[in-house]
Amino acid sequence: MTGFNFRSLDLNLLRVFDEVMAERSLTRAAHKLSITQPAVSNAMRRLRDVVGDDLVVRSGQGVEPTPRALALWPPVREALTQLQQSLAPGRFEPATAESTFVLAMADATAATLIPALVEIIEREAPGISVRVLPLTTRDPRRLLEDEAADMAVGYFPAALADLTARAQSGGVVAYESRRLYDGEYVCVMRRGHPLADAPLTLDAYCEARHMLVSFSGRPFGFIDEALASLGRERRVVLTVNQFFTAGRVVCGSDLLTVLLRHFVPVTGIEEDLVQRALPLDVPPVHVDALWRRRGPQQTAMTWLLGALTRSARKTFPG
């Protein structure tokens, strides 16, 4: 960049660069910017000439950034965000807003949060609409990147650990998260089950027949991982993808399942179920909200996050 005159730089090139880096695709960046793909390619060529680096190289159906591009992106994105917020801070007025929020969450999470969220919306933001999509993954980043959902709420330990590691290493993290509540898993069985009248031992647990709630359909979950660390295993004879379904099936069978303790009263069949502490150590479930930073939408997302936080406090007042 020897002899480069910053005054001659077209700042629109930086907007294109930011979108290409975020999308890792010239086509998707063009769609987001409402311009043609050739225009995106031309802008990247002009910026490449300025910085003396290719910036991105083709990879499969998209592009991969060069080390120079990865170094440039954080300050460019921060500068663009600050400029955008200064020129168009974007106000969100709940009382008059007519926005639609798309949330991705499991049925147990929705049953915990949505009733209180609806009360808040009816009282404070009557023009707001909410769509709830089933969450089918422990890593919802692709769902958020594709804008299929505005926010995901659930248990995302691996995804959040990856984002934390990237941030600590100086990488750009285009996501934000906040802890909403913690949950505890318990073993659930029907009332009258042969194991219902005594404390549940590890031997009895492993010898029983089990039902697993699995978003992916994979018949091996975190309980199985914990058992494997002890050199033990259980027999999973049924896998379902909804917690409500699991509660219903347990009522009419001798299967055991694992549910969140606070979810059992929400099922409407609590009187037909018996809860027992799991006979092995299982870490608590941290339920987090995860969303992408999106400039002008940030004030709306802040309000939504606050509403979800208040909804969680109604269930977990402590």
Coordinates of all heavy atoms in Angstrom, one line a residue, residues 108-143:
A108 N -39.5 -28.1 24.7 CA -39.4 -27.8 26.2 C -39.1 -26.4 26.5 O -39.6 -25.8 27.4 CB -38.4 -28.8 26.8
T109 N -38.2 -25.8 25.7 CA -37.8 -24.4 25.8 C -38.9 -23.5 25.5 O -39.2 -22.5 26.3 CB -36.6 -24.1 24.9 OG1 -35.6 -25.1 25.1 CG2 -36.0 -22.7 25.3
A110 N -39.6 -23.8 24.4 CA -40.8 -22.9 24.1 C -41.9 -23.0 25.2 O -42.5 -22.0 25.5 CB -41.4 -23.4 22.7
A111 N -42.1 -24.2 25.7 CA -43.1 -24.3 26.7 C -42.7 -23.5 28.0 O -43.6 -23.0 28.7 CB -43.3 -25.8 27.1
T112 N -41.4 -23.4 28.2 CA -41.0 -22.6 29.4 C -41.0 -21.1 29.2 O -41.4 -20.4 30.1 CB -39.5 -23.0 29.6 OG1 -39.4 -24.4 29.9 CG2 -38.9 -22.3 30.8
L113 N -40.7 -20.6 28.0 CA -40.6 -19.2 27.8 C -41.7 -18.5 27.1 O -42.0 -17.4 27.3 CB -39.3 -18.9 26.9 CG -38.0 -19.3 27.6 CD1 -36.8 -19.1 26.6 CD2 -37.7 -18.5 28.9
I114 N -42.4 -19.2 26.1 CA -43.3 -18.5 25.3 C -44.6 -18.0 26.0 O -45.0 -16.9 25.7 CB -43.8 -19.4 24.1 CG1 -42.5 -19.7 23.2 CG2 -44.9 -18.8 23.3 CD1 -41.9 -18.5 22.6
P115 N -45.2 -18.7 27.0 CA -46.4 -18.2 27.6 C -46.1 -16.8 28.3 O -46.9 -15.9 28.1 CB -46.7 -19.2 28.7 CG -46.2 -20.5 28.1 CD -44.9 -20.1 27.4
A116 N -45.0 -16.7 29.0 CA -44.7 -15.4 29.6 C -44.3 -14.3 28.5 O -44.6 -13.1 28.7 CB -43.6 -15.5 30.6
L117 N -43.7 -14.8 27.4 CA -43.3 -13.9 26.4 C -44.6 -13.3 25.7 O -44.6 -12.1 25.4 CB -42.4 -14.6 25.3 CG -42.0 -13.7 24.1 CD1 -41.1 -12.6 24.5 CD2 -41.3 -14.6 23.1
V118 N -45.6 -14.1 25.5 CA -46.8 -13.7 24.9 C -47.5 -12.6 25.8 O -48.0 -11.6 25.3 CB -47.8 -14.8 24.7 CG1 -49.2 -14.3 24.3 CG2 -47.3 -15.7 23.6
E119 N -47.4 -12.8 27.1 CA -48.0 -11.8 28.0 C -47.2 -10.4 27.8 O -47.9 -9.4 27.8 CB -47.8 -12.2 29.5 CG -48.7 -13.4 29.8 CD -48.5 -13.8 31.3 OE1 -47.9 -13.1 32.0 OE2 -49.1 -14.9 31.6
I120 N -45.9 -10.5 27.7 CA -45.1 -9.2 27.6 C -45.5 -8.6 26.2 O -45.7 -7.3 26.2 CB -43.6 -9.6 27.6 CG1 -43.3 -10.0 29.0 CG2 -42.8 -8.3 27.2 CD1 -41.8 -10.5 29.1
I121 N -45.6 -9.4 25.2 CA -45.9 -8.8 23.9 C -47.3 -8.2 23.9 O -47.5 -7.0 23.3 CB -45.8 -9.9 22.8 CG1 -44.4 -10.3 22.6 CG2 -46.4 -9.4 21.5 CD1 -44.2 -11.5 21.6
E122 N -48.3 -8.8 24.4 CA -49.6 -8.3 24.4 C -49.7 -7.0 25.2 O -50.5 -6.1 24.9 CB -50.6 -9.3 25.0 CG -50.8 -10.5 24.1 CD -51.8 -11.5 24.7 OE1 -52.0 -11.5 25.9 OE2 -52.4 -12.3 23.9
R123 N -48.9 -6.9 26.3 CA -48.9 -5.7 27.1 C -48.1 -4.6 26.6 O -48.5 -3.4 26.7 CB -48.4 -6.1 28.5 CG -48.4 -5.0 29.5 CD -48.1 -5.5 30.9 NE -46.7 -6.0 31.0 CZ -46.4 -7.3 31.1 NH1 -47.4 -8.2 31.2 NH2 -45.1 -7.7 31.2
E124 N -46.9 -4.9 26.0 CA -46.0 -3.8 25.6 C -45.8 -3.7 24.1 O -45.4 -2.6 23.7 CB -44.6 -4.2 26.2 CG -44.6 -4.3 27.7 CD -43.2 -4.7 28.3 OE1 -42.3 -4.6 27.5 OE2 -43.1 -5.0 29.5
A125 N -46.0 -4.7 23.3 CA -45.7 -4.6 21.9 C -46.8 -5.4 21.1 O -46.5 -6.4 20.5 CB -44.4 -5.2 21.6
P126 N -48.0 -4.9 21.1 CA -49.1 -5.6 20.5 C -49.0 -5.8 19.0 O -49.7 -6.7 18.4 CB -50.4 -4.8 20.8 CG -49.8 -3.4 21.0 CD -48.5 -3.6 21.7
G127 N -48.1 -5.0 18.3 CA -47.9 -5.2 16.9 C -46.9 -6.2 16.5 O -46.7 -6.5 15.3
I128 N -46.2 -6.8 17.5 CA -45.1 -7.8 17.3 C -45.7 -9.1 17.0 O -46.7 -9.6 17.7 CB -44.2 -7.8 18.5 CG1 -43.4 -6.5 18.6 CG2 -43.2 -9.0 18.4 CD1 -42.5 -6.2 17.5
S129 N -45.1 -9.9 16.1 CA -45.5 -11.3 15.8 C -44.3 -12.1 16.0 O -43.1 -11.7 15.8 CB -45.9 -11.4 14.3 OG -47.1 -10.7 14.1
V130 N -44.5 -13.3 16.5 CA -43.4 -14.3 16.8 C -43.7 -15.6 16.1 O -44.8 -16.1 16.2 CB -43.2 -14.5 18.3 CG1 -42.2 -15.6 18.5 CG2 -42.8 -13.2 19.0
R131 N -42.7 -16.1 15.4 CA -42.8 -17.5 14.8 C -41.8 -18.3 15.5 O -40.6 -17.9 15.6 CB -42.5 -17.4 13.3 CG -43.6 -16.8 12.5 CD -43.1 -16.6 11.0 NE -42.6 -17.8 10.5 CZ -41.6 -17.9 9.6 NH1 -41.0 -16.8 9.1 NH2 -41.2 -19.0 9.1
V132 N -42.2 -19.5 15.9 CA -41.3 -20.4 16.6 C -41.0 -21.6 15.7 O -42.0 -22.3 15.3 CB -41.8 -20.9 18.0 CG1 -40.9 -21.9 18.6 CG2 -42.1 -19.7 18.9
L133 N -39.7 -21.9 15.4 CA -39.3 -23.0 14.6 C -38.7 -24.1 15.5 O -38.1 -23.8 16.5 CB -38.3 -22.6 13.6 CG -38.6 -21.4 12.6 CD1 -37.4 -21.2 11.7 CD2 -39.8 -21.8 11.8
P134 N -38.9 -25.3 15.1 CA -38.3 -26.4 15.9 C -36.8 -26.4 15.8 O -36.3 -26.2 14.7 CB -38.9 -27.7 15.3 CG -39.3 -27.3 13.9 CD -39.7 -25.9 14.0
L135 N -36.1 -26.5 16.9 CA -34.6 -26.5 16.9 C -34.2 -27.9 16.7 O -34.6 -28.8 17.5 CB -34.1 -25.9 18.2 CG -32.6 -25.8 18.3 CD1 -32.1 -24.8 17.3 CD2 -32.2 -25.4 19.7
T136 N -33.4 -28.2 15.7 CA -33.0 -29.6 15.4 C -31.5 -29.8 15.5 O -31.0 -30.8 14.9 CB -33.5 -30.0 14.0 OG1 -33.0 -29.1 13.0 CG2 -35.1 -30.0 14.0
T137 N -30.8 -28.9 16.1 CA -29.3 -29.0 16.2 C -28.8 -28.3 17.4 O -29.5 -27.5 18.0 CB -28.7 -28.3 15.0 OG1 -27.3 -28.3 15.1 CG2 -29.2 -26.8 14.9
R138 N -27.6 -28.8 17.9 CA -26.9 -28.2 19.0 C -26.0 -27.0 18.5 O -25.4 -26.4 19.4 CB -26.1 -29.2 19.8 CG -27.0 -30.2 20.5 CD -27.8 -29.6 21.6 NE -28.5 -30.6 22.4 CZ -29.5 -30.3 23.3 NH1 -29.9 -29.1 23.4 NH2 -30.0 -31.3 24.0
D139 N -26.0 -26.8 17.2 CA -25.2 -25.7 16.7 C -26.0 -25.0 15.7 O -26.0 -25.3 14.5 CB -23.9 -26.2 16.1 CG -22.9 -25.1 15.7 OD1 -23.3 -23.9 15.7 OD2 -21.7 -25.4 15.3
P140 N -26.7 -23.9 16.1 CA -27.6 -23.2 15.2 C -27.0 -22.1 14.3 O -27.8 -21.3 13.7 CB -28.7 -22.7 16.2 CG -27.8 -22.3 17.3 CD -26.7 -23.3 17.4
R141 N -25.7 -22.1 14.2 CA -25.1 -21.0 13.5 C -25.5 -20.9 12.0 O -25.7 -19.9 11.5 CB -23.6 -21.0 13.7 CG -23.1 -20.5 15.0 CD -21.6 -20.6 15.2 NE -21.2 -22.0 15.4 CZ -19.9 -22.4 15.6 NH1 -19.0 -21.4 15.7 NH2 -19.6 -23.6 15.8
R142 N -25.6 -22.1 11.4 CA -26.0 -22.1 10.0 C -27.4 -21.6 9.8 O -27.7 -20.8 8.9 CB -25.8 -23.5 9.4 CG -26.4 -23.7 8.0 CD -25.7 -22.7 7.0 NE -24.3 -22.9 6.9 CZ -23.5 -22.2 6.2 NH1 -23.9 -21.1 5.6 NH2 -22.2 -22.4 6.2
L143 N -28.3 -21.9 10.8 CA -29.6 -21.5 10.7 C -29.7 -19.9 10.8 O -30.5 -19.3 10.1 CB -30.4 -22.1 11.9 CG -31.9 -22.0 12.0 CD1 -32.6 -22.8 10.9 CD2 -32.4 -22.4 13.3

